[in-house]
Each structure stands twice: as structure tokens, then as C-alpha cells.
Amino acid sequence: MQRILGYMRKAIHEFDLIQDGDKIAVGVSGGKDSIVLLRGLVLLKRFIGIDYEVIAITLDPGFQGVWTDYGPVEQMCHELGIEYIVKRTKIGEIVFDVRKEPNPCSLCARMRRGALHEAAKEYQCNKIALGHHYNDVVETFVMNLFIEGRLGCFAPKSYLSKRDLWMIRPLVFAPEKDIQKVVRKHEFPIVKSKCPADGYTSRQKTKEFLHQREREDCGFTYRLFGALRRSGLDGWGFPEKK
């Protein structure tokens, strides 16, 4: 976990993600990334020298008309001493049953973002933390290039002016393999997604493409990440030296 905390600390300082007095809503899906993010933010608060508050918010999409049991996550939050909120939604029903979206990920993501923004404001948070990691950054960069035909990626932090909220991503320097190792080592509670499209998305195909390229050309992913940082696109530039 120390290595993950190092990655998070680096991102927080380089991109100025957290300040004194922040109340941060961590979007917790129940998957490995959001669970590690949540624990990391709670642990970092003890020694990073920034005074902030953390709460956890889960949006249950209600896939296939069934509510998910987040009991293990609730127990973890109780042990960490933080507030945990579960919002039951009909996102799954709308996306798959009503709209019958052939490519459901985009609509689902927009609806989940909107619901998370509303929940964060309801609990007086000024920031939302998401669990996107290093590999998510590279995958998004590649997807935007080859699927949408543009250069760009999500930002390490972004301001949502309509909501007066900051979106931050403290795990962007943490490789997925290191997150997986931590979860296995410490046996963190993971709630598996019940999404019908899980494993059949464009992101999964991109992940497999990058994995193959990395096997054939070691350092391929690292160079793509470096190219994004050197470009300075979407807030990814290196901090100015003083």
C-alpha cells in the first residue's frame, strides 16, 4: 500500500488536487480501483499535511432490476470511520431495458456522473474523487485518438462550473497491476459489477490491444503516457520549475 500512497501523494502535489478544508466525495463502485482510492485517501490524511474530509458514495445502477449488496464496503467504511452513502438508481433499467442502447457505456457514464454530482452537492462536498489509474489514462488517450480521431484525455482535475465542483483523480500515476497486487495482498472487499456489458466494451478491446503491444514492445505504454504529459494537453503538463 505504501507504493500506492506514493503515487497518490505525487499526483496530489503535482496537480494540486487537494487543499485544506476540502470535503471529498469518493465515487465507490465497489471495484478494486475505487476501494484502493478510498483507503488511500483516508490513510494519506494522517501524514500528508492537508486537512480534508472524506465520505464515500455508491450509486447502485440496479442492473437487471436487482439491487447490489454493498455490505462489505459498508463494513470497511465503518472500520475506516467515514460516512458511507448508497444511492439506489434506475440507471440500469433506463440504459438496457427502456433505451435498449446498442452502445450503453456512454449513456450509462453520463447518467452516473450526473447522479454522483447531485449526491456530492447534497452532502456539501466541494470535490469528487474518481479511481482512474495510470492505465485508464493511456487507454482513454488511445481511444480518443483511434475511435474519435482527436488528441485528448480526461484531466487529472477539472472544474464543473455548473455544479461548482472539482473532479480529481489521485490514482493517475498508479499502474493497474500495483492496484491489483494491493487488493490481493490485503484482501480488500470487492463487489463485482453486474453490468451486462462488462468485458465487452471498447475500453476492454483497447486494454487488450495495449497489453499485446506491451508484450511485443516493452515500454510502449510508458512512452504513450510520456507523450501525453509532454504535450501538456488537458492539464497533463509537467509542473513548472521554480
Side-chain angles (χ1 to χ4, degrees), residues 1-9 36 171 174-175 178-179 182:
M1 193 65 190
Q2 287 299 119
R3 179 175 293 184
I4 297 295
L5 295 179
Y7 290 131
M8 294 179 66
R9 189 171 189 169
V36 169
L171 280 178
D178 288 347
I179 294 173
V182 166

Side-chain angles (χ1 to χ4, degrees), residues 8 24 39 49 70 73 83 89 100 117 121 124 126 132-133 159 161 173 183 192 197-198 213 241:
M8 294 179 66
I24 305 169
R39 295 188 71 99
Y70 294 100
V73 180
E83 185 176 7
T89 76
K100 301 184 185 300
H117 298 168
K121 294 300 290 185
Q124 293 82 50
N126 67 313
H132 295 111
H133 50 65
Y159 181 62
S161 57
F173 288 140
V183 169
K192 185 172 174 54
D198 192 30
R213 290 293 295 125
K241 295 182 179 180

Side-chain angles (χ1 to χ4, degrees), residues 159-226:
Y159 181 62
L160 311 174
S161 57
K162 292 183 179 179
R163 294 285 190 175
D164 189 26
L165 282 168
W166 281 94
M167 191 82 72
I168 62 172
R169 296 175 168 91
L171 280 178
V172 289
F173 288 140
E176 185 174 23
K177 63 181 181 180
D178 288 347
I179 294 173
Q180 292 170 331
K181 288 178 182 177
V182 166
V183 169
R184 287 195 298 267
K185 180 179 179 180
H186 297 284
E187 298 182 342
F188 290 160
I190 302 301
V191 179
K192 185 172 174 54
S193 171
K194 296 180 180 178
C195 174
D198 192 30
Y200 301 95
T201 63
S202 296
R203 181 169 295 277
Q204 181 62 32
K205 294 177 182 177
T206 303
K207 186 185 294 289
E208 292 167 1
F209 163 74
L210 287 169
H211 179 71
Q212 182 62 33
R213 290 293 295 125
E214 188 66 33
R215 290 181 61 184
E216 298 170 356
D217 182 6
C218 183
F220 182 78
T221 302
Y222 175 79
R223 292 193 296 275
L224 284 177
F225 187 81

